[in-house]
Every structure is written in C-alpha cells, then in structure tokens.
Amino acid sequence: MSNQINRPAVLAEVTSAFYRYEQALVSNDTATLDELFWHDERTVRLGAGENLYGIEAIRAFRAARPAKGLDRQLHNTVITTFGEDYAVCSTEFTRDGTDKIGRQQQTWVKLPEGWRIVAAQVSLMS
C-alpha cells in the first residue's frame, strides 16, 4: 500500500484542487465552492458553528454567509492521497484580529466530474 500513498501525479491533482478551494473560500467565490463539493444529500460539512447535511444545506449556508473577513493564513497543511481517488487534506488557519486557531479537515474523492469534497469539518480553538 505504501506505493499507493502520495503518488506524485495524484498528489499534484489534489493539491491543486485544495488550493483552488482555498482561493474560492477567501474570495467568496460561491460557484467554485459549490462545484468542489459533492452534489449529494450525503455530503457533510461540520462547521465551527453549524452542522450541514447535504449539498442543499451547504449551498444555503454559503449564500447567507458574510463575504467580508474571509482572509486567512494557512499553517501545517498536510495533504495525503491514497490510491488514485481518495485524499485527506488537513490544515490549521489564523485570521488577523483573533487569537483563535482554526482547523479544517476535508475528505476528497475523485468522482467522474473530478475531485470533490465529500466530508469537511472546521473547528476553532483558543
């Protein structure tokens, strides 16, 4: 199995998708954010203050979220791929004006339409 972990081409694909998501997040590009989540009722996003089950709940959250104060700096990002179609992306983040440390973890799966987030969790710690 170790020869299936972080295969260079797969890691490059997921890393690109991860940073595309990050750019969309900080610029409030809701179309790209929506594109990068699996469009399914089984998609889960557990946020710092909300639990979202299904793509429709995730879309509604994105539409209602304020578009300001989204800039952040990533730290300790770890992207690990397993085989050709599964990956986990974990990162910490900070924002100016707060001492809290954010944590984000995403499960990505390569579907026919491309790499998509099927589960995500965001939390904050003091």
Side-chain angles (χ1 to χ4, degrees):
M1 176 66 177
S2 64
N3 65 343
Q4 295 295 312
I5 297 173
N6 282 354
R7 296 177 76 180
V10 179
L11 182 59
E13 287 178 12
V14 176
T15 299
S16 177
F18 174 83
Y19 284 106
R20 184 171 174 235
Y21 176 89
E22 182 63 22
Q23 180 57 43
L25 184 69
V26 300
S27 64
N28 202 40
D29 178 352
T30 56
T32 298
L33 293 171
D34 182 64
E35 174 192 334
L36 292 173
F37 270 86
W38 183 31
H39 293 180
D40 194 272
E41 65 196 28
R42 293 166 287 187
T43 304
V44 176
R45 181 187 176 278
L46 303 176
E50 66 286 333
N51 295 331
L52 306 172
Y53 295 92
I55 189 63
E56 295 305 325
I58 295 167
R59 286 176 176 149
F61 168 77
R62 293 273 185 235
R65 183 179 70 149
K68 295 185 179 184
L70 300 175
D71 287 337
R72 64 190 197 165
Q73 298 75 44
L74 300 184
H75 311 278
N76 301 316
T77 301
V78 177
I79 298 173
T80 308
T81 66
F82 302 87
E84 299 284 327
D85 56 7
Y86 183 83
V88 176
C89 301
S90 305
T91 196
E92 297 175 19
F93 62 88
T94 55
R95 288 195 162 103
D96 291 340
T98 180
D99 291 335
K100 292 187 177 182
I101 298 171
R103 300 175 293 178
Q104 172 184 296
Q105 192 163 55
Q106 301 166 330
T107 302
W108 290 74
V109 174
K110 190 170 190 179
L111 300 170
E113 58 273 20
W115 285 98
R116 298 296 183 260
I117 299 165
V118 299
Q121 184 163 1
V122 179
S123 62
L124 296 172
M125 59 187 264
S126 299

